[in-house]
Amino acid sequence: MKFFPGHLEQGEQKEILSQLVSAIDQAPFFVPRMPKTGKSFSVRMTNLGPLGWVADKEGGYRYQSTHPETGQSWPEMPQKLLQIWDELTGCPVPPEACLVNYYATTAKMGLHQDRDEETFDAPVLSISLGDRARFRLGGKTRKDKTSSFELSSGDIVMLDGETRLAYHGIDRVLPHSSQLLSGYPEHFPDGGRINLTLRRVTAYSPTR
Ligand code: MD3
Ligand code: FE
């Protein structure tokens, strides 16, 4: 794992946030649900780019090219995000999915692995915006020791190599710890936190 604390300046955070707000108007947040139980996630989600991660009781966890409620294609991935991917990962192919997670002040995400992708060779890049959160990272099995640290607005984490299949989660958001989302009270009335994860879903094959 590589941690880039404060990688994005406030102006860059605001630029990304304004592009996200336009995208959310096109592809509203949906509530993901657990595959067998149908239990709701407390995090709301949407996606940018050719593929998006979705979750429901009937179809389980998967990537698809359309929004589960509107049936429309996901909005394009902003150039700024593609640039950050190139700069930090050095990956020869662009990301295919940008999952947008929105945490209202009481939302959290239990310990899990990200393993719905066809390939684990490419890194996952995580960008935090808005309120700070306590992030937990463990090992490749659920029993491994975990450690936790705080993620702040503008921080970027790259999960590659050994950490790509590590268990991780968000224990809690620290309410009102950032003013970034205050610029959009109609979208984010109580602040909260946005996390973007840029992902490669399909295996890179030069003949494809
Ligand atoms: C470690 N998101 O979307 S980002 C997720 O802050 C997710 O919203 C959290 O876990 C969030 O799946 C954590 C940091 C992160 C992202 C992907 C990872 C950590 C990871 C993939 C593998 C290992
Ligand atoms: Fe994850």
Side-chain angles (χ1 to χ4, degrees):
M1 171 187 132
K2 293 192 187 72
F3 185 36
F4 303 91
H7 185 81
L8 299 173
E9 296 170 12
Q10 192 176 56
E12 298 177 288
Q13 298 173 39
K14 286 184 172 170
E15 180 191 342
I16 294 170
L17 182 61
S18 83
Q19 291 170 336
L20 277 177
V21 166
S22 309
I24 290 160
D25 291 338
Q26 225 184 297
F29 285 118
F30 61 90
V31 178
R33 288 170 197 280
M34 313 262 180
K36 282 167 230 165
T37 59
K39 187 178 158 26
S40 298
F41 282 60
S42 58
V43 177
R44 287 186 280 161
M45 298 182 178
T46 189
N47 292 271
L48 311 173
L51 291 173
W53 189 85
V54 299
D56 53 42
K57 188 173 176 174
E58 303 74 28
Y61 299 145
R62 63 200 185 274
Y63 284 90
Q64 63 181 42
S65 61
T66 56
H67 190 285
E69 289 165 4
T70 68
Q72 299 282 102
S73 297
W74 303 107
E76 272 186 31
M77 201 142 4
Q79 269 304 319
K80 176 86 186 166
L81 297 181
L82 296 172
Q83 266 171 24
I84 294 171
W85 171 270
D86 283 349
E87 177 194 344
L88 295 185
T89 68
C91 190
V93 286
E96 295 170 294
C98 172
L99 174 61
V100 182
N101 292 334
Y102 173 62
Y103 296 76
T105 51
T106 59
K108 52 196 167 61
M109 190 180 285
L111 213 60
H112 67 277
Q113 287 176 302
D114 289 18
R115 48 185 308 165
D116 301 319
E117 301 74 25
E118 243 173 61
T119 174
F120 307 129
D121 293 343
V124 172
L125 205 62
S126 151
I127 302 175
S128 293
L129 296 172
D131 286 339
R132 300 204 302 270
R134 186 139 286 271
F135 172 65
R136 185 168 294 279
L137 185 64
K140 283 200 262 195
T141 78
R142 198 174 271 287
K143 293 187 276 184
D144 291 333
K145 273 200 298 252
T146 65
S147 53
S148 77
F149 56 97
E150 222 169 76
L151 292 176
S152 299
S153 197
D155 290 354
I156 300 188
V157 184
M158 182 162 84
L159 297 310
D160 59 352
E162 280 287 290
T163 54
R164 176 62 186 79
L165 286 171
Y167 276 84
H168 59 280
I170 293 290
D171 294 347
R172 67 182 201 99
V173 171
L174 286 70
H176 311 293
S177 51
S178 159
Q179 287 305 309
L180 187 74
L181 272 49
S182 310
Y184 299 92
E186 65 285 14
H187 289 81
F188 311 113
D190 201 26
R193 168 174 187 266
I194 294 174
N195 182 264
L196 309 177
T197 45
L198 279 60
R199 301 144 183 266
R200 188 77 202 165
V201 178
T202 65
Y204 169 57
S205 118
T207 56
R208 186 172 282 170

